[in-house]
């Protein structure tokens, strides 16, 4: 949802993937919670599972035009990745914060 996991009111991100230093509503600090490569990894897993049926369908039917697989699939993967990356990063930060995972 892009909201602070503590209060649920203020925005968690000040830019596309840059979290705020602290929540302006509840003052919860977010600089210590580091998501690192987790959100990218989970985004790749989710996008791969969403695109797998399309890849299988295109491979099974050679009558589909070649450009559909060569241009359509990477374009779809890129767009899906950009759409899902911020919510997945917010989820990841929320899970790290909720479980009080080590921050270093």
């Amino acid at each position: 949802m892009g909201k602070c996991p503590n209060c649920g009111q203020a925005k968690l991100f000040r830019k596309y993937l840059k979290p705020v230093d602290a929540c302006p509503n509840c003052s919860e600090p977010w600089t210590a919670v580091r998501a690192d490569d987790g959100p990218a990894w989970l985004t790749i897993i989710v996008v791969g599972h969403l695109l797998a049926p399309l890849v299988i369908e295109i491979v099974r039917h050679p009558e589909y035009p070649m450009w559909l697989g060569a241009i359509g699939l990477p374009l779809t993967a890129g767009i899906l990745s950009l759409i899902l990356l911020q919510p997945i990063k917010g989820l990841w930060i929320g899970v790290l914060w909720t479980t009080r995972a080590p921050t270093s």
Side-chain angles (χ1 to χ4, degrees):
M1 304 281 299
K3 303 287 183 189
C4 171
N6 189 36
C7 67
Q9 300 297 318
K11 290 184 176 184
L12 180 61
F13 297 101
R14 68 173 172 228
K15 292 184 180 177
Y16 177 63
L17 291 177
K18 181 72 174 166
V20 295
D21 294 331
C23 177
N25 190 43
C26 66
S27 301
E28 182 71 29
W30 294 112
T31 55
V33 181
R34 296 185 51 200
D36 294 332
D37 293 335
W41 168 80
L42 188 55
T43 300
I44 291 169
I45 298 292
V46 170
V47 169
H49 279 83
L50 290 174
L51 285 183
L54 293 173
V55 172
I56 292 169
E57 189 65 25
I58 289 172
V59 169
R60 288 181 60 198
H61 296 282
E63 64 269 7
Y64 289 143
M66 186 172 285
W67 65 265
L68 187 62
I71 296 172
L73 288 173
L75 186 63
T76 304
I79 291 170
L80 276 175
S81 296
L82 289 173
I83 291 170
L84 294 175
L85 189 56
Q86 186 184 38
I88 288 176
K89 184 169 183 175
L91 171 72
W92 197 271
I93 289 173
V95 168
L96 288 175
W97 175 79
T98 301
T99 60
R100 305 204 190 293
T103 56
S104 297

XYZ file of all heavy atoms in Angstrom:
798
model
N 0.818 -1.196 0.000
C 0.000 0.000 0.000
C 0.863 1.262 0.000
O 0.354 2.338 -0.226
C -0.927 0.010 1.219
C -1.823 -1.213 1.346
S -3.276 -1.206 0.306
C -4.116 0.213 0.867
N 2.156 1.133 0.323
C 3.034 2.292 0.328
C 2.905 3.158 1.560
O 3.332 4.311 1.560
N 2.293 2.626 2.616
C 2.099 3.379 3.852
C 3.039 2.863 4.937
O 3.529 1.739 4.882
C 0.649 3.252 4.345
C -0.389 3.692 3.343
C -0.407 5.181 3.207
C -1.518 5.593 2.241
N -1.469 6.961 1.893
N 3.255 3.665 5.948
C 4.089 3.298 7.090
C 3.507 2.053 7.760
O 2.324 2.026 8.103
C 4.137 4.460 8.082
S 4.916 4.069 9.651
N 4.305 0.995 7.956
C 3.793 -0.210 8.619
C 3.400 0.021 10.080
O 2.594 -0.719 10.618
C 4.952 -1.200 8.529
C 5.796 -0.720 7.419
C 5.638 0.775 7.406
N 3.945 1.051 10.704
C 3.655 1.303 12.119
C 2.298 1.980 12.310
O 1.467 1.505 13.057
C 4.768 2.151 12.746
C 4.634 2.270 14.242
O 4.232 1.333 14.909
N 4.967 3.424 14.762
N 2.079 3.088 11.606
C 0.837 3.845 11.802
C -0.161 3.662 10.656
O -1.356 3.878 10.832
C 1.134 5.331 11.997
S 1.812 6.156 10.539
N 0.322 3.297 9.482
C -0.563 3.101 8.334
C -1.086 4.382 7.724
O -2.009 4.356 6.911
N -0.509 5.521 8.074
C -1.011 6.800 7.601
C -0.118 7.462 6.565
O -0.564 7.791 5.482
C -1.198 7.751 8.798
C -2.165 7.240 9.831
C -3.567 7.075 9.296
O -4.054 7.937 8.566
N -4.207 5.976 9.622
N 1.143 7.676 6.917
C 2.057 8.439 6.059
C 2.673 7.542 4.991
O 2.707 6.321 5.113
C 3.151 9.071 6.912
N 3.205 8.172 3.951
C 3.850 7.438 2.867
C 5.172 6.847 3.348
O 5.912 7.486 4.097
C 4.097 8.352 1.680
C 2.843 8.761 0.958
C 3.178 9.581 -0.270
C 1.906 9.905 -1.031
N 2.196 10.621 -2.270
N 5.465 5.632 2.887
C 6.710 4.964 3.237
C 7.846 5.393 2.321
O 9.003 5.413 2.728
C 6.526 3.440 3.173
C 7.725 2.570 3.513
C 8.188 2.821 4.946
C 7.384 1.108 3.323
N 7.530 5.763 1.080
C 8.553 6.109 0.090
C 8.504 7.590 -0.255
O 7.438 8.140 -0.487
C 8.370 5.294 -1.184
C 8.536 3.819 -0.976
C 7.436 2.989 -0.882
C 9.793 3.261 -0.877
C 7.583 1.632 -0.684
C 9.959 1.905 -0.674
C 8.853 1.084 -0.577
N 9.686 8.223 -0.317
C 9.743 9.612 -0.762
C 10.015 9.690 -2.250
O 9.698 10.663 -2.902
C 10.773 10.405 0.020
C 12.206 10.022 -0.231
C 13.159 10.983 0.461
N 14.501 10.466 0.341
C 15.349 10.362 1.328
N 14.998 10.748 2.527
N 16.542 9.882 1.134
N 10.648 8.671 -2.810
C 10.850 8.507 -4.249
C 10.384 7.102 -4.609
O 9.876 6.387 -3.762
C 12.320 8.702 -4.618
C 12.815 10.123 -4.433
C 14.229 10.263 -4.908
C 14.715 11.690 -4.705
N 16.108 11.831 -5.099
N 10.598 6.706 -5.842
C 10.099 5.419 -6.313
C 10.508 4.258 -5.403
O 9.668 3.457 -4.997
C 10.587 5.181 -7.746
C 10.196 3.838 -8.319
C 8.861 3.519 -8.504
C 11.157 2.898 -8.648
C 8.489 2.300 -9.012
C 10.800 1.679 -9.161
C 9.461 1.379 -9.343
O 9.115 0.166 -9.835
N 11.785 4.153 -5.047
C 12.251 3.073 -4.180
C 12.987 3.563 -2.935
O 13.531 2.758 -2.188
C 13.177 2.122 -4.959
C 12.508 1.279 -6.028
C 13.536 0.449 -6.772
C 11.442 0.381 -5.437
N 13.015 4.850 -2.703
C 13.743 5.412 -1.565
C 12.781 5.634 -0.396
O 11.907 6.495 -0.453
C 14.395 6.743 -1.974
C 15.192 7.384 -0.898
C 16.464 6.627 -0.665
C 17.327 7.374 0.330
N 18.388 6.567 0.840
N 12.938 4.847 0.684
C 12.052 5.068 1.830
C 12.390 6.364 2.561
O 13.520 6.856 2.482
C 12.305 3.850 2.721
C 13.572 3.247 2.257
C 13.819 3.711 0.868
N 11.423 6.892 3.267
C 11.646 8.089 4.071
C 12.586 7.744 5.221
O 12.696 6.585 5.613
C 10.313 8.661 4.615
C 9.439 9.156 3.484
C 9.583 7.650 5.454
N 13.280 8.743 5.744
C 14.174 8.500 6.874
C 13.385 8.136 8.132
O 13.777 7.244 8.884
C 15.044 9.724 7.144
C 16.008 9.992 6.000
O 16.407 9.022 5.324
O 16.359 11.165 5.775
N 12.291 8.820 8.343
C 11.408 8.546 9.477
C 9.987 8.937 9.079
O 9.779 9.835 8.271
C 11.839 9.340 10.699
N 9.035 8.250 9.652
C 7.629 8.539 9.351
C 7.266 9.925 9.892
O 7.489 10.206 11.068
C 6.744 7.472 9.981
S 4.978 7.765 9.755
N 6.704 10.809 9.052
C 6.333 12.137 9.542
C 5.151 12.103 10.510
O 4.946 13.041 11.275
C 5.981 12.906 8.271
C 5.721 11.883 7.237
C 6.474 10.645 7.634
N 4.406 11.007 10.526
C 3.226 10.907 11.378
C 3.559 10.323 12.761
O 3.180 10.884 13.780
C 2.160 10.056 10.676
C 0.837 10.114 11.377
O 0.403 11.175 11.787
N 0.188 8.984 11.526
N 4.292 9.197 12.796
C 4.570 8.512 14.066
C 6.046 8.547 14.451
O 6.422 8.001 15.486
C 4.082 7.073 14.012
S 4.965 6.016 12.832
N 6.886 9.107 13.615
C 8.341 9.239 13.851
C 9.089 7.912 13.908
O 10.187 7.846 14.460
C 8.606 10.036 15.132
O 8.038 11.314 15.030
N 8.536 6.860 13.353
C 9.231 5.565 13.300
C 10.416 5.691 12.338
O 10.251 6.077 11.190
C 8.288 4.469 12.808
C 8.890 3.090 12.749
C 9.148 2.484 14.113
O 8.429 2.799 15.065
O 10.087 1.673 14.208
N 11.638 5.367 12.786
C 12.800 5.484 11.892
C 12.862 4.322 10.898
O 12.688 3.166 11.262
C 13.988 5.448 12.851
C 13.491 4.684 14.032
C 12.014 4.974 14.139
N 13.122 4.649 9.634
C 13.192 3.627 8.595
C 14.590 3.491 8.008
O 14.800 2.667 7.126
C 12.181 3.920 7.488
C 10.794 3.804 7.993
C 9.904 4.819 8.149
C 10.141 2.625 8.461
N 8.741 4.340 8.687
C 8.859 2.995 8.886
C 10.513 1.293 8.573
C 7.945 2.082 9.407
C 9.606 0.384 9.100
C 8.345 0.780 9.507
N 15.541 4.267 8.468
C 16.897 4.186 7.912
C 17.593 2.893 8.297
O 18.450 2.413 7.568
C 17.749 5.384 8.369
O 17.732 5.445 9.793
C 17.239 6.679 7.776
N 17.241 2.302 9.433
C 17.905 1.081 9.886
C 17.371 -0.174 9.195
O 18.040 -1.199 9.184
C 17.753 0.928 11.399
N 16.174 -0.098 8.626
C 15.584 -1.263 7.954
C 16.074 -1.280 6.516
O 15.685 -0.444 5.711
C 14.044 -1.232 8.007
C 13.459 -2.452 7.337
C 13.566 -1.120 9.443
N 16.926 -2.246 6.200
C 17.520 -2.326 4.860
C 16.941 -3.523 4.112
O 17.064 -4.658 4.555
C 19.035 -2.462 4.981
C 19.656 -1.226 5.633
C 21.136 -1.286 5.641
N 21.614 -1.578 4.297
C 22.817 -2.072 4.048
N 23.643 -2.345 5.008
N 23.180 -2.298 2.807
N 16.354 -3.257 2.983
C 15.742 -4.318 2.191
C 16.764 -5.036 1.313
O 16.575 -6.193 0.969
C 14.622 -3.751 1.331
N 17.849 -4.358 0.930
C 18.911 -4.912 0.085
C 18.346 -5.552 -1.183
O 17.596 -4.915 -1.894
C 19.784 -5.879 0.875
C 20.565 -5.175 1.980
O 20.850 -3.976 1.814
O 20.878 -5.815 2.985
N 18.712 -6.797 -1.479
C 18.323 -7.456 -2.733
C 17.036 -8.269 -2.625
O 16.580 -8.843 -3.618
C 19.436 -8.376 -3.209
C 20.671 -7.613 -3.635
O 20.531 -6.434 -4.007
O 21.768 -8.192 -3.596
N 16.452 -8.337 -1.461
C 15.251 -9.144 -1.266
C 14.096 -8.777 -2.176
O 13.495 -9.647 -2.822
N 13.722 -7.490 -2.272
C 12.607 -7.131 -3.138
C 12.855 -7.449 -4.617
O 11.935 -7.882 -5.319
C 12.460 -5.625 -2.929
C 13.041 -5.382 -1.579
C 14.153 -6.364 -1.439
N 14.076 -7.240 -5.083
C 14.380 -7.565 -6.484
C 14.253 -9.067 -6.720
O 13.688 -9.499 -7.734
C 15.780 -7.089 -6.842
N 14.752 -9.846 -5.784
C 14.663 -11.306 -5.898
C 13.199 -11.748 -5.946
O 12.805 -12.544 -6.811
C 15.385 -11.941 -4.699
C 15.146 -13.380 -4.532
C 15.748 -14.402 -5.207
C 14.214 -13.983 -3.638
N 15.252 -15.600 -4.772
C 14.302 -15.369 -3.806
C 13.326 -13.479 -2.697
C 13.532 -16.262 -3.078
C 12.556 -14.353 -1.974
C 12.670 -15.726 -2.169
N 12.386 -11.240 -5.023
C 10.977 -11.634 -4.979
C 10.226 -11.143 -6.223
O 9.361 -11.853 -6.744
C 10.324 -11.091 -3.706
C 8.913 -11.572 -3.412
C 8.844 -13.099 -3.376
C 8.426 -10.985 -2.105
N 10.572 -9.970 -6.728
C 9.947 -9.455 -7.948
C 10.243 -10.369 -9.128
O 9.347 -10.676 -9.919
C 10.428 -8.021 -8.242
O 10.074 -7.189 -7.139
C 9.799 -7.476 -9.502
N 11.481 -10.816 -9.242
C 11.847 -11.733 -10.333
C 11.061 -13.036 -10.228
O 10.567 -13.555 -11.241
C 13.368 -12.002 -10.322
C 14.116 -10.742 -10.733
C 13.730 -13.167 -11.231
C 15.612 -10.808 -10.497
N 10.921 -13.557 -9.023
C 10.155 -14.799 -8.819
C 8.693 -14.604 -9.234
O 8.120 -15.432 -9.959
C 10.236 -15.251 -7.344
C 11.673 -15.571 -6.945
C 9.312 -16.426 -7.064
C 12.276 -16.771 -7.603
N 8.080 -13.518 -8.784
C 6.665 -13.269 -9.086
C 6.461 -13.046 -10.582
O 5.561 -13.649 -11.192
C 6.132 -12.069 -8.264
C 4.754 -11.635 -8.734
C 6.110 -12.408 -6.787
N 7.268 -12.199 -11.199
C 7.135 -11.923 -12.634
C 7.375 -13.187 -13.446
O 6.656 -13.467 -14.406
C 8.077 -10.778 -13.066
C 8.141 -10.654 -14.578
C 7.612 -9.467 -12.461
N 8.361 -13.968 -13.057
C 8.626 -15.222 -13.753
C 7.439 -16.171 -13.708
O 7.094 -16.802 -14.713
N 6.803 -16.255 -12.555
C 5.636 -17.132 -12.439
C 4.426 -16.584 -13.196
O 3.611 -17.345 -13.707
C 5.281 -17.352 -10.966
C 6.124 -18.391 -10.315
N 7.371 -18.116 -9.807
C 5.912 -19.707 -10.117
C 7.884 -19.219 -9.310
N 7.018 -20.203 -9.490
N 4.309 -15.277 -13.283
C 3.210 -14.696 -14.051
C 3.415 -14.863 -15.558
O 2.445 -15.050 -16.304
C 3.051 -13.216 -13.721
C 2.530 -12.882 -12.323
C 2.556 -11.376 -12.091
C 1.119 -13.421 -12.132
N 4.673 -14.794 -16.005
C 4.951 -14.892 -17.438
C 5.124 -16.328 -17.932
O 5.039 -16.560 -19.139
C 6.207 -14.093 -17.780
C 6.050 -12.594 -17.795
C 7.347 -11.930 -18.216
C 4.938 -12.160 -18.713
N 5.372 -17.256 -17.049
C 5.607 -18.646 -17.469
C 4.475 -19.204 -18.346
O 4.764 -19.820 -19.385
C 5.853 -19.534 -16.253
N 3.204 -19.022 -18.000
C 2.156 -19.539 -18.889
C 2.183 -18.910 -20.281
O 1.918 -19.589 -21.284
C 0.852 -19.187 -18.163
C 1.232 -19.006 -16.744
C 2.637 -18.493 -16.758
N 2.521 -17.615 -20.359
C 2.611 -16.973 -21.670
C 3.763 -17.535 -22.491
O 3.623 -17.758 -23.699
C 2.788 -15.459 -21.499
C 1.621 -14.697 -20.907
C 2.014 -13.248 -20.645
C 0.419 -14.766 -21.821
N 4.896 -17.743 -21.853
C 6.055 -18.308 -22.554
C 5.721 -19.701 -23.069
O 6.006 -20.038 -24.228
C 7.287 -18.343 -21.622
C 8.431 -19.107 -22.265
C 7.723 -16.946 -21.256
N 5.107 -20.507 -22.231
C 4.736 -21.870 -22.635
C 3.753 -21.828 -23.799
O 3.877 -22.596 -24.767
C 4.158 -22.646 -21.441
C 5.267 -22.903 -20.417
C 3.515 -23.953 -21.891
C 4.783 -23.425 -19.083
N 2.794 -20.930 -23.741
C 1.803 -20.820 -24.816
C 2.451 -20.398 -26.127
O 2.134 -20.928 -27.189
C 0.718 -19.813 -24.402
C -0.467 -19.770 -25.310
C -1.259 -21.058 -25.331
O -1.217 -21.828 -24.365
O -1.927 -21.283 -26.356
N 3.368 -19.447 -26.075
C 4.039 -18.984 -27.297
C 4.923 -20.074 -27.878
O 4.966 -20.269 -29.100
C 4.843 -17.692 -27.010
C 3.865 -16.536 -26.794
C 5.801 -17.370 -28.148
C 4.514 -15.261 -26.325
N 5.601 -20.815 -27.035
C 6.482 -21.892 -27.510
C 5.668 -23.049 -28.097
O 6.070 -23.661 -29.094
C 7.398 -22.375 -26.362
C 8.115 -23.652 -26.740
C 8.389 -21.292 -25.986
N 4.531 -23.354 -27.515
C 3.706 -24.475 -27.986
C 3.007 -24.199 -29.310
O 2.591 -25.121 -29.996
C 2.653 -24.813 -26.936
C 3.257 -25.475 -25.710
C 2.221 -25.827 -24.692
N 1.263 -26.757 -25.272
C 0.064 -26.991 -24.764
N -0.322 -26.339 -23.688
N -0.754 -27.847 -25.312
N 2.866 -22.942 -29.661
C 2.148 -22.583 -30.887
C 3.070 -21.798 -31.820
O 3.149 -20.570 -31.748
C 0.906 -21.754 -30.566
C -0.105 -22.505 -29.770
N -0.947 -23.424 -30.326
C -0.386 -22.481 -28.439
C -1.721 -23.939 -29.397
N -1.391 -23.382 -28.233
N 3.729 -22.475 -32.730
C 4.666 -21.780 -33.628
C 3.976 -20.843 -34.626
O 4.661 -20.065 -35.284
C 5.375 -22.923 -34.354
C 4.510 -24.112 -34.187
C 3.716 -23.908 -32.944
N 2.658 -20.887 -34.709
C 1.965 -19.988 -35.644
C 1.899 -18.546 -35.118
O 1.591 -17.630 -35.881
C 0.545 -20.489 -35.954
C -0.394 -20.528 -34.781
C -0.385 -21.862 -34.032
O 0.439 -22.729 -34.323
O -1.235 -22.016 -33.154
N 2.176 -18.348 -33.833
C 2.258 -16.985 -33.301
C 3.463 -16.280 -33.932
O 4.496 -16.887 -34.160
C 2.402 -16.981 -31.788
C 1.156 -17.405 -31.041
C 1.256 -18.155 -29.884
C -0.111 -17.049 -31.469
C 0.139 -18.538 -29.186
C -1.244 -17.435 -30.777
C -1.113 -18.172 -29.639
O -2.231 -18.555 -28.947
N 3.358 -14.999 -34.200
C 4.491 -14.292 -34.809
C 5.705 -14.259 -33.870
O 5.562 -14.201 -32.648
C 3.963 -12.880 -35.053
C 2.729 -12.750 -34.241
C 2.208 -14.133 -33.994
N 6.895 -14.290 -34.451
C 8.121 -14.327 -33.663
C 8.306 -13.066 -32.827
O 8.843 -13.119 -31.726
C 9.328 -14.549 -34.568
C 10.613 -14.741 -33.810
S 11.965 -15.212 -34.848
C 11.557 -16.913 -35.151
N 7.842 -11.912 -33.329
C 8.001 -10.669 -32.586
C 7.262 -10.699 -31.256
O 7.642 -10.003 -30.314
C 7.546 -9.467 -33.404
C 6.086 -9.450 -33.725
C 5.490 -9.908 -34.858
C 5.039 -8.960 -32.898
N 4.132 -9.747 -34.790
C 3.822 -9.158 -33.582
C 4.991 -8.377 -31.635
C 2.591 -8.811 -33.063
C 3.758 -8.020 -31.112
C 2.582 -8.235 -31.832
N 6.208 -11.517 -31.178
C 5.444 -11.601 -29.940
C 6.323 -12.087 -28.791
O 6.289 -11.520 -27.691
C 4.250 -12.533 -30.125
C 3.255 -12.604 -28.987
C 2.614 -11.242 -28.768
C 2.194 -13.640 -29.288
N 7.149 -13.085 -29.062
C 8.056 -13.584 -28.039
C 9.290 -12.732 -27.881
O 9.783 -12.525 -26.775
N 9.800 -12.203 -28.985
C 11.055 -11.449 -28.955
C 10.892 -10.053 -28.373
O 11.809 -9.535 -27.741
C 11.635 -11.351 -30.361
N 9.750 -9.434 -28.596
C 9.532 -8.069 -28.109
C 8.497 -8.038 -26.986
O 8.689 -7.365 -25.973
C 9.100 -7.140 -29.262
C 10.226 -7.037 -30.286
C 8.705 -5.770 -28.746
C 9.855 -6.313 -31.547
N 7.432 -8.766 -27.168
C 6.328 -8.723 -26.211
C 6.668 -9.234 -24.828
O 6.313 -8.612 -23.825
N 7.361 -10.356 -24.745
C 7.684 -10.924 -23.437
C 8.657 -10.064 -22.625
O 8.388 -9.793 -21.451
C 8.192 -12.352 -23.586
C 7.131 -13.380 -23.964
C 7.755 -14.723 -24.258
C 6.086 -13.499 -22.872
N 9.782 -9.613 -23.204
C 10.656 -8.743 -22.406
C 9.980 -7.416 -22.016
O 10.189 -6.920 -20.905
C 11.850 -8.479 -23.314
C 11.844 -9.595 -24.287
C 10.418 -9.979 -24.473
N 9.182 -6.871 -22.904
C 8.473 -5.634 -22.597
C 7.487 -5.857 -21.450
O 7.412 -5.054 -20.508
C 7.754 -5.119 -23.841
C 7.092 -3.762 -23.732
C 8.131 -2.682 -23.463
C 6.332 -3.464 -25.008
N 6.744 -6.948 -21.514
C 5.804 -7.278 -20.451
C 6.526 -7.528 -19.139
O 6.078 -7.075 -18.079
C 4.969 -8.519 -20.842
O 4.326 -8.267 -22.091
C 3.922 -8.837 -19.801
N 7.650 -8.225 -19.194
C 8.432 -8.490 -17.979
C 8.943 -7.189 -17.370
O 8.894 -7.005 -16.145
C 9.596 -9.423 -18.291
N 9.412 -6.272 -18.184
C 9.902 -4.995 -17.678
C 8.810 -4.158 -17.044
O 8.998 -3.586 -15.963
N 7.670 -4.088 -17.705
C 6.555 -3.306 -17.177
C 6.042 -3.911 -15.878
O 5.816 -3.192 -14.891
C 5.435 -3.180 -18.231
C 5.900 -2.289 -19.375
C 4.151 -2.643 -17.618
C 4.988 -2.285 -20.589
N 5.865 -5.233 -15.846
C 5.426 -5.894 -14.616
C 6.419 -5.683 -13.479
O 6.019 -5.458 -12.334
C 5.234 -7.395 -14.859
C 3.912 -7.839 -15.432
C 3.934 -9.332 -15.733
C 2.782 -7.519 -14.486
N 7.703 -5.741 -13.785
C 8.727 -5.537 -12.760
C 8.654 -4.131 -12.182
O 8.742 -3.952 -10.957
C 10.118 -5.783 -13.336
O 10.251 -7.125 -13.721
N 8.482 -3.137 -13.039
C 8.382 -1.759 -12.563
C 7.119 -1.525 -11.736
O 7.127 -0.765 -10.769
C 8.425 -0.778 -13.731
C 9.779 -0.657 -14.417
C 9.659 0.212 -15.667
C 10.819 -0.096 -13.473
N 6.040 -2.188 -12.106
C 4.787 -2.047 -11.363
C 4.881 -2.723 -9.995
O 4.400 -2.198 -8.991
C 3.605 -2.626 -12.170
C 3.317 -1.745 -13.387
C 2.361 -2.781 -11.310
C 2.342 -2.352 -14.374
N 5.506 -3.894 -9.936
C 5.522 -4.687 -8.709
C 6.658 -4.375 -7.746
O 6.569 -4.691 -6.565
C 5.570 -6.181 -9.061
C 4.342 -6.738 -9.766
C 4.569 -8.182 -10.170
C 3.132 -6.635 -8.860
N 7.728 -3.767 -8.204
C 8.917 -3.603 -7.365
C 8.657 -2.739 -6.131
O 9.053 -3.109 -5.022
C 10.077 -3.040 -8.182
C 11.433 -3.015 -7.480
C 11.819 -4.388 -6.988
C 12.495 -2.481 -8.420
N 7.998 -1.606 -6.261
C 7.760 -0.752 -5.095
C 6.829 -1.416 -4.073
O 7.150 -1.417 -2.876
C 7.214 0.604 -5.504
C 7.109 1.546 -4.311
C 6.479 2.867 -4.665
O 5.555 2.912 -5.464
N 6.960 3.934 -4.064
N 5.692 -2.005 -4.471
C 4.861 -2.668 -3.462
C 5.570 -3.851 -2.793
O 5.410 -4.070 -1.593
C 3.636 -3.156 -4.248
C 3.612 -2.363 -5.486
C 5.018 -1.952 -5.777
N 6.376 -4.570 -3.558
C 7.107 -5.690 -2.963
C 8.167 -5.181 -2.000
O 8.389 -5.774 -0.938
C 7.685 -6.602 -4.058
C 6.546 -7.383 -4.720
C 8.732 -7.547 -3.500
C 6.946 -8.255 -5.877
N 8.814 -4.058 -2.323
C 9.796 -3.496 -1.392
C 9.098 -3.025 -0.119
O 9.607 -3.211 0.985
C 10.575 -2.344 -2.026
C 11.658 -1.817 -1.094
C 12.610 -0.879 -1.751
C 13.696 -0.452 -0.764
N 14.709 0.362 -1.385
N 7.948 -2.420 -0.230
C 7.181 -2.018 0.944
C 6.790 -3.211 1.790
O 6.884 -3.181 3.026
N 6.360 -4.284 1.136
C 6.034 -5.524 1.843
C 7.258 -6.062 2.566
O 7.193 -6.457 3.728
C 5.489 -6.561 0.859
C 5.293 -7.969 1.404
C 4.102 -7.997 2.342
C 5.119 -8.956 0.275
N 8.398 -6.065 1.881
C 9.639 -6.587 2.444
C 10.056 -5.775 3.676
O 10.423 -6.341 4.709
C 10.730 -6.561 1.382
C 11.904 -7.411 1.685
C 13.016 -7.055 2.377
C 12.094 -8.768 1.311
N 13.885 -8.112 2.441
C 13.347 -9.169 1.803
C 11.324 -9.687 0.606
C 13.847 -10.443 1.615
C 11.823 -10.955 0.412
C 13.065 -11.331 0.917
N 9.996 -4.456 3.563
C 10.338 -3.590 4.703
C 9.369 -3.841 5.852
O 9.777 -3.925 7.016
C 10.332 -2.107 4.272
C 11.525 -1.826 3.358
C 10.354 -1.180 5.484
C 11.516 -0.440 2.737
N 8.102 -3.988 5.547
C 7.105 -4.260 6.585
C 7.346 -5.575 7.298
O 7.229 -5.660 8.524
N 7.703 -6.606 6.548
C 7.986 -7.907 7.151
C 9.249 -7.833 8.010
O 9.287 -8.362 9.128
C 8.108 -9.006 6.070
C 8.685 -10.284 6.641
C 6.752 -9.277 5.432
N 10.291 -7.165 7.511
C 11.509 -7.002 8.312
C 11.221 -6.242 9.599
O 11.721 -6.590 10.670
C 12.589 -6.266 7.505
C 13.254 -7.031 6.380
C 14.198 -6.109 5.616
C 13.994 -8.241 6.892
N 10.421 -5.196 9.513
C 10.088 -4.403 10.693
C 9.227 -5.204 11.669
O 9.469 -5.187 12.870
C 9.377 -3.126 10.241
C 8.895 -2.293 11.371
C 9.634 -1.441 12.149
C 7.564 -2.227 11.865
N 8.834 -0.846 13.088
C 7.552 -1.322 12.944
C 6.376 -2.853 11.513
C 6.399 -1.019 13.649
C 5.233 -2.548 12.216
C 5.253 -1.647 13.271
N 8.229 -5.920 11.151
C 7.317 -6.688 12.003
C 8.038 -7.797 12.751
O 7.780 -8.032 13.927
C 6.172 -7.291 11.159
O 5.482 -6.222 10.511
C 5.200 -8.062 12.015
N 8.938 -8.483 12.053
C 9.648 -9.607 12.677
C 10.870 -9.155 13.464
O 11.555 -9.978 14.060
C 10.091 -10.622 11.608
O 10.960 -9.989 10.681
C 8.890 -11.222 10.899
N 11.148 -7.857 13.437
C 12.316 -7.291 14.117
C 13.608 -8.015 13.711
O 14.446 -8.355 14.546
C 12.136 -7.316 15.622
C 10.876 -6.630 16.078
C 10.943 -6.162 17.478
N 9.668 -5.698 18.012
C 9.011 -4.631 17.620
N 9.446 -3.909 16.650
N 7.880 -4.274 18.186
N 13.714 -8.228 12.408
C 14.895 -8.897 11.856
C 16.132 -8.039 12.086
O 16.026 -6.807 12.176
C 14.701 -9.142 10.358
N 17.290 -8.667 12.184
C 18.530 -7.873 12.366
C 18.708 -6.888 11.216
O 18.424 -7.215 10.063
C 19.637 -8.912 12.360
C 18.978 -10.218 12.571
C 17.556 -10.086 12.156
N 19.187 -5.707 11.505
C 19.302 -4.670 10.482
C 20.697 -4.541 9.907
O 20.915 -3.782 8.988
C 18.875 -3.299 11.057
O 19.677 -3.029 12.204
C 17.419 -3.320 11.436
N 21.666 -5.219 10.449
C 23.026 -5.098 9.914
C 23.522 -6.422 9.420
O 23.241 -7.453 9.902
C 23.975 -4.594 10.978
O 23.579 -3.303 11.364
